[in-house]
Amino acid sequence: MQKGYICLYLRRWQQLKKNTMEFNKEKYKIYTWKNWMVLHWILNPGLAINELILGQRVPKISLEDKTSSKPRVERTFVPCPHCEKLHDGRTWATQNGTAFKNWFGLYCSNCGKVIPCVMNGFSFIILIITFPIWGWFRKRMKENWLKKQPERYENINIELTPNPFDKKNWIKTGLSWGAFMFLIMSIGFPYFNGQDITFKTLLLGIVIWTIGGLLFGYIMKIFMNKIMNKKGENTASNNV
């Protein structure tokens, strides 16, 4: 069973490699697994939780328009290798209810197929180990998942999608991330590992993940609101 899953994954990777889209490198900066942010997603064991439980995914290829003066969050696109449509990156935003539940990949609302995503290394290991449990139902689960996708994308209006890292939104986003990490790291893991959960450890966890969440939100605010100057270089936006 595990061997079958590995073969399936390798076969899909080979198919995608053959169907690689070509992009104008003068216009777009191309993000693949070689980029440090995507590589971080692959190697960070904590992100396996985001991937397996929340269904948060990162596309194998994303593009950043180098000719636009808009903030980075507004000039990021995700190409569909099947119909070649360039989706605005904000399509999969929390505000649209599409940031999560993407266990099988990112759904293309244009052609109805799935945009391939990178896989966290620890997610891959967990899936291989547990394949005898869920492998029998994989095809049926994906079919049911696909049936629910069109409805999720019916009323998305990119122009009305707020920047999650704009103005004070970065605080809310950062604290939400910190709260999630607190539940997992300070309560979830200790509970399943048989460790004591005390008032002291909870208080310490609240402090650590509140600071960590705010730091995460602020760093993402700076990064996602970068704009291009006339030389084609990223600079900090004055509107953040």
Side-chain angles (χ1 to χ4, degrees), residues 25-209:
K25 294 183 179 180
E26 295 296 322
K27 179 178 175 62
Y28 297 110
K29 179 177 181 180
I30 305 172
Y31 290 86
T32 65
W33 68 270
K34 298 178 182 179
N35 181 267
W36 69 269
M37 292 181 296
V38 183
L39 197 58
H40 171 262
W41 181 275
I42 296 173
L43 299 177
N44 188 334
L47 292 175
I49 297 172
N50 296 57
E51 202 165 79
L52 296 178
I53 298 179
L54 299 180
Q56 185 179 11
R57 303 301 300 274
V58 172
K60 286 190 173 183
I61 298 176
S62 59
L63 308 174
E64 180 184 321
D65 189 347
K66 297 190 292 185
T67 65
S68 174
S69 59
K70 295 180 179 180
R72 181 181 273 127
V73 70
E74 296 179 27
R75 53 186 168 87
T76 298
F77 299 90
V78 177
C80 174
H82 308 289
C83 65
E84 299 191 356
K85 177 179 175 59
L86 295 183
H87 294 274
D88 190 299
R90 292 171 292 174
T91 300
W92 298 276
T94 304
Q95 293 84 351
N96 294 326
T98 52
F100 305 114
K101 299 182 181 181
N102 302 310
W103 293 288
F104 294 95
L106 299 180
Y107 177 77
C108 175
S109 57
N110 187 57
C111 67
K113 295 185 179 180
V114 181
I115 299 173
C117 297
V118 297
M119 179 174 287
N120 178 272
F122 290 85
S123 294
F124 184 62
I125 294 173
I126 293 172
L127 289 174
I128 289 177
I129 295 174
T130 60
F131 189 81
I133 300 175
W134 62 269
W136 301 98
F137 313 103
R138 182 182 184 281
K139 185 176 181 180
R140 186 186 306 173
M141 288 189 295
K142 185 174 182 179
E143 289 175 349
N144 292 334
W145 176 82
L146 276 172
K147 289 179 182 178
K148 298 177 181 178
Q149 299 314 300
E151 184 179 355
R152 298 179 65 201
Y153 295 81
E154 282 182 353
N155 301 314
I156 291 180
N157 188 331
I158 298 298
E159 299 302 322
L160 298 179
T161 302
N163 181 347
F165 301 103
D166 188 20
K167 298 178 181 179
K168 293 183 179 180
N169 283 336
W170 69 269
I171 298 178
K172 180 180 178 181
T173 301
L175 289 177
S176 297
W177 179 83
F180 173 74
M181 293 304 296
F182 167 75
L183 292 174
I184 297 297
M185 303 302 294
S186 298
I187 298 179
F189 281 166
Y191 175 80
F192 288 108
N193 289 332
Q195 301 175 359
D196 292 334
I197 302 176
T198 64
F199 176 78
K200 182 178 180 180
T201 59
L202 290 177
L203 184 61
L204 181 62
I206 291 174
V207 173
I208 291 175
W209 291 113

